[in-house]
Amino acid sequence: MNTEVTSPHEEPDQGLPSPDVLLSAEVFDGQPGCIALARNLADRFLTRLAVECMAPIGEHTRSDLMLAVSELVTNADRYSHGPYLLELEGNAERISVTVYDSSTAMPVLYGPDPSRLGGHGMEIVVALCDRVVAERVPVGKRIRAEFRLST
């Protein structure tokens, strides 16, 4: 499996430490409105995580995560031309957003260039989260953005 870490390297996550892990996932087919549906799924997930796991979800965390979901799903929609899976996993300490799509092309992380039209999605995701990992998997690729929650 080819792996590319697109954000500062840290020790690999040994899994979410708390037994109180929430999971939510949905497959999207690329039809109009999928990105809004993905954001709705993420919003409901964050609400459940705050209530059921007592996760400290502030407005800043919520908006960062929602933007990361939008960017990752938009990229999957634009480049895979097929169904893609959004998976959300979290507990009181961490949240991960994972998108699987059918394209094996790894994301490109361009340097900042305000004059460039497009190509800012991964730049935004890397800036928002604590760690991003992109890797090829048998179905195409998986991109995982991880967020640490502060208490």
Side-chain angles (χ1 to χ4, degrees), residues 6 28 34-35 38-39 64-80 84-88 95-101 107 120-126 128-129 131-134 141-147:
T6 57
F28 298 96
C34 284
I35 296 163
R39 287 176 57 83
D64 284 357
L65 193 125
M66 297 298 283
L67 182 53
V69 166
S70 293
E71 293 297 336
L72 291 173
V73 170
T74 297
N75 284 350
D77 191 64
R78 180 173 295 151
Y79 299 113
S80 72
Y84 45 90
L85 171 70
L86 169 63
E87 182 179 83
L88 302 159
I95 300 172
S96 66
V97 176
T98 306
V99 175
Y100 294 83
D101 70 49
H120 295 281
M122 287 307 296
E123 180 184 347
I124 291 168
V125 172
V126 167
L128 294 173
C129 67
R131 185 170 183 248
V132 176
V133 177
K141 74 173 164 299
R142 167 179 52 210
I143 301 176
R144 180 180 175 108
E146 299 173 359
F147 296 80

Side-chain angles (χ1 to χ4, degrees), residues 9-88:
H9 180 65
E10 299 175 4
E11 290 302 312
D13 190 7
Q14 299 301 317
L16 298 171
S18 171
D20 298 322
V21 175
L22 284 182
L23 297 169
S24 187
E26 192 166 329
V27 174
F28 298 96
D29 59 6
Q31 294 298 311
C34 284
I35 296 163
L37 292 172
R39 287 176 57 83
N40 287 337
L41 177 71
D43 189 53
R44 290 190 315 271
F45 176 79
L46 291 175
T47 299
R48 281 188 57 215
L49 195 63
V51 171
E52 295 177 29
C53 295
M54 306 302 271
I57 311 283
E59 282 308 308
H60 184 72
T61 299
R62 181 176 291 274
S63 63
D64 284 357
L65 193 125
M66 297 298 283
L67 182 53
V69 166
S70 293
E71 293 297 336
L72 291 173
V73 170
T74 297
N75 284 350
D77 191 64
R78 180 173 295 151
Y79 299 113
S80 72
H81 307 294
Y84 45 90
L85 171 70
L86 169 63
E87 182 179 83
L88 302 159

